[in-house]
Amino acid sequence: QVQVVEAGGGLVPAGGSLRLSCTASALTLDNYPMAWFRQAPGKEREGVSCINKRGDVISYSDSVKGRFTIFRDSAKNMLYLQMNSMKPEDTAMYYCAAGRPRDDYCSKSPLSFGIWGQGTQVTVSS
């Protein structure tokens, strides 16, 4: 089963920063629309940010806008989520997802993505 693999989670104090990364050995991520999602215990999976294949369309949820940045590194076949000014409410499992390679879009709906990783835990202490 094709998967993406996330890394970079951990424990960080409020106001701190983390950078999550996502890669895949069997996919060229530039060929896929990509997104980051998160899910806190007892809550629905939330779309945090998305980026289209070309990288010229990016969107963020209102809760992270101005604090998080999504970007690709084509040479390394990586997707990143830079998280700054973190808040306790950012605590969640974070997932990377790859979408449909035949289409180019930026979507924060989980229904638009079929390839998922196992997630990386992010905990922000107050």
Side-chain angles (χ1 to χ4, degrees):
Q1 184 177 357
V2 177
Q3 280 189 322
V4 293
V5 179
E6 305 93 339
L11 176 63
V12 62
S17 298
L18 278 178
R19 178 177 291 186
L20 304 183
S21 63
C22 173
T23 191
S25 59
L27 303 176
T28 299
L29 297 186
D30 279 359
N31 294 338
Y32 293 79
M34 301 293 297
W36 287 97
F37 294 83
R38 67 186 182 186
Q39 189 166 19
K43 294 188 176 182
E44 292 187 356
R45 190 163 294 191
E46 173 193 13
V48 173
S49 182
C50 60
I51 185 170
N52 70 336
K53 290 194 293 187
R54 291 190 301 268
D56 59 355
V57 179
I58 289 173
S59 179
Y60 300 96
S61 66
D62 289 342
S63 59
V64 307
K65 196 172 296 182
R67 301 187 297 121
F68 290 10
T69 303
I70 189 172
F71 61 99
R72 297 178 183 267
D73 185 331
S74 300
K76 295 182 179 179
N77 195 35
M78 300 282 279
L79 177 76
Y80 295 97
L81 185 68
Q82 177 67 43
M83 305 185 293
N84 299 328
S85 302
M86 297 186 72
K87 304 175 181 180
E89 50 264 44
D90 294 323
T91 296
M93 186 72 79
Y94 282 70
Y95 299 90
C96 172
R100 303 183 301 272
R102 293 183 178 181
D103 300 320
D104 195 15
Y105 56 87
C106 178
S107 170
K108 294 190 294 295
S109 168
L111 298 177
S112 298
F113 297 87
I115 300 171
W116 294 82
Q118 295 298 310
T120 186
Q121 177 66 39
V122 171
T123 303
V124 184
S125 60
S126 57

